[in-house]
Every structure is written in structure tokens, then in C-alpha cells.
Amino acid sequence: MFAPSPVSFGSEPNTQISSVDLGYPGALPTVNRAGVKHALRACHALNMTIDPLLRFDRKNYFYPDLAKGFQITQQYHPIGSNGTLTATLVDGTTKTFDIERLHIEEDTAKQNHIGDTTYLDYNRSGIGLIEVVSRPVMRSADDAVAYVDKLREIVLYLGVSDAKMNEGSLRCDVNISLRPYGTEEFGNKVEIKNLNSLNNVKKSIEFEIKRQTELLLKGEVVDQETRRFDEATQETILMRKKSSAVDYRYFRDPNIHPIQLDAN
């Protein structure tokens, strides 16, 4: 999104990279015009309000898959906001889902865990992403599957993405929280990361609803945490607890000047 590296899948590790991806001193980002056009197409298709001034921020954190030590994103001024998506549910009815925002950012490197060793493939680092964030309006696993399936259909039709979930072109993070009937306040949120199929979206949500229900009925507390879905056991597995909010120290990226978008 901000470097001239090719976008490909299945290439030899660390062969499709540039000095910008690896965070070399003095390497400066340049905004990919085609990436911005793809984001705008998606915004129009999702009935979003478009910010005519394109601005980028830095999300600062230290992790092996992020060579620069920060990710370029749009924390404060997403390119699109306040959209909707209408999908057909399994019973044949339609439901409209509210979307909070759509923003442009860059991907991180891929981690390959083999035994006790983790290998890093930076080919994926820097690839352009659009992240679509819905509002908490889904009430079942079927709602979530219908939403993701319709979103996949839209970006595929527009040519924004090949939407191959098995290759990571379309990934899904789901957030689940339960609340007693009649209350408006949501319970503690559990996030399940990087789901790569509609089947896994459905199974992970159904398992997590069951797990949280059992905890609450026993009078226990659902901890705010991040989990992953294990296809072998068909269960969600704890990755890390979120005892407090992470401070990413966001600030405007000084190397990318604001870009005024043409109204046409």
C-alpha cells in the first residue's frame, strides 16, 4: 500500500519485499493510488460517507511481524464512515447491518510456527488492507455468516479483492459478548482472530456463545480476552487476556501529507 513491492501469494519467503516493508532507515512511504480507488469503490458500495481529505496515522507497537515498529493506518480519519450492508439470512429474510467505519492500512508479516521455532515471511508485510468495522447489531452466528458472505460477494464483484479466505485475502475477526435479557449494556468482549472460512466463523461463534453462557450461568465472569479457533478441537483457544487497553500512541504519519480527493 505504501511501497512498490509486488502483491502475490505462494512466492518463496522474503522475496517480494522492499526497504519500506523492512523499515530501513531513510525509506519513505508513497501512497498507492489504486489502493485508494479500491477503498473508495468499497465505500460507495457500502453506502458510506466519504472523507474527502485522505490522512494516515501511525499505530506504534513492537512485534516481530512489524519491522518498522509501527503500522500505517487511519485511526482518526477513516476514508469511509456510517455505512450499511443488506444481506439475506438463512430463513430467506433480509437484514440491514450498520457499519461504523472503513479504513485503509497495511498488513504485517506472516508468522509460521514450526515446532518451537517461529519463521517470519515479510512478503505479506505492507500489502494494502481495507478494514470494515460493523456496529454491534448481529445477534447470531447466522447473522455474522450472512454479513461476511455478502461483503465477500461485494468486494469480489467490484474487483477490490479476490476474496480468497483460504489465502488470507479476506479475513474475519469476530467480537462476542453476552448480556441478560432486557439489559442494554453489553458484557465483556471476547475477540476471535483471523477466521479464514465462513464455516469457521459460524462454528467459532456458536462455541463461544456456549462457553460464555455456561460461565455466566455458574455466576462466573467472562474475561476480556483474545482467542483463536482450533479446527482440530472445534474450540476457541486463549491467546492473551486484555486486562487493560493497549496504548498504541497513535499520531499523524509525518511522512504522508494529507491528500485532497477529487469530488468526481
Side-chain angles (χ1 to χ4, degrees):
M1 184 63 212
F2 306 99
S5 317
V7 176
S8 61
F9 177 80
S11 300
E12 285 294 314
N14 299 314
T15 60
Q16 312 292 311
I17 55 179
S18 73
S19 57
V20 177
D21 303 326
L22 297 180
Y24 284 4
L28 296 175
T30 55
V31 178
N32 185 318
R33 181 190 297 265
V36 175
K37 288 183 177 179
H38 285 328
L40 288 170
R41 287 194 191 102
C43 286
H44 283 297
L46 298 173
N47 310 300
M48 308 194 84
T49 300
I50 295 173
D51 190 335
L53 189 63
L54 192 65
R55 289 162 283 189
F56 292 95
D57 308 296
R58 288 186 180 182
K59 178 181 180 180
N60 298 275
Y61 64 97
F62 295 96
Y63 208 67
D65 62 6
L66 194 65
K68 296 194 299 288
F70 63 86
Q71 180 188 38
I72 302 175
T73 184
Q74 290 186 300
Q75 172 66 10
Y76 299 117
H77 303 283
I79 191 171
S81 58
N82 300 322
T84 58
L85 180 153
T86 300
T88 302
L89 306 181
V90 291
D91 62 2
T93 61
T94 60
K95 181 173 181 177
T96 298
F97 302 95
D98 295 329
I99 297 173
E100 179 179 336
R101 57 186 281 150
L102 181 153
H103 60 266
I104 303 170
E105 61 185 26
E106 58 181 343
D107 210 343
T108 59
K110 182 179 181 180
Q111 300 183 74
N112 296 306
H113 306 288
I114 303 175
D116 294 330
T117 304
T118 297
Y119 297 90
L120 292 167
D121 180 4
Y122 284 96
N123 285 349
R124 196 179 71 182
S125 180
I127 289 178
L129 300 177
I130 54 171
E131 182 163 317
V132 183
V133 182
S134 66
R135 297 191 186 278
V137 293
M138 300 175 202
R139 298 292 175 260
S140 68
D142 287 335
D143 276 9
V145 169
Y147 170 85
V148 175
D149 194 29
K150 186 61 178 181
L151 184 60
R152 178 184 178 278
E153 179 183 308
I154 289 172
V155 297
L156 187 61
Y157 175 79
L158 294 175
V160 170
S161 170
D162 61 17
K164 295 178 180 178
M165 297 189 74
N166 61 310
E167 294 184 1
S169 301
L170 178 68
R171 302 197 296 273
C172 180
D173 298 342
V174 300
N175 295 284
I176 301 151
S177 64
L178 302 186
R179 58 184 176 181
Y181 285 106
T183 62
E184 294 187 1
E185 184 178 354
F186 289 101
N188 285 341
K189 178 178 66 177
V190 173
E191 182 178 24
I192 306 174
K193 299 288 288 185
N194 291 328
L195 296 166
N196 61 359
S197 73
L198 296 176
N199 191 42
N200 284 351
V201 170
K202 180 178 174 64
K203 289 182 177 180
S204 64
I205 293 174
E206 290 176 341
F207 175 83
E208 192 59 26
I209 289 174
K210 181 176 180 292
R211 186 187 73 86
Q212 291 187 29
T213 299
E214 291 174 352
L215 288 174
L216 293 172
L217 290 178
K218 290 189 292 186
E220 300 180 18
V221 176
V222 175
D223 292 329
Q224 187 171 339
E225 54 194 25
T226 300
R227 303 175 75 90
R228 64 177 178 84
F229 182 67
D230 188 301
E231 292 188 59
T233 63
Q234 299 290 290
E235 298 178 349
T236 62
I237 307 297
L238 176 66
M239 294 174 64
R240 56 185 177 273
K241 291 186 178 292
K242 296 182 177 180
S243 56
S244 59
V246 178
D247 182 9
Y248 291 113
R249 296 170 291 120
Y250 289 99
F251 61 86
R252 182 74 55 80
D253 193 305
N255 291 328
I256 305 176
H257 293 290
I259 300 171
Q260 184 69 49
L261 300 176
D262 192 305
N264 297 320

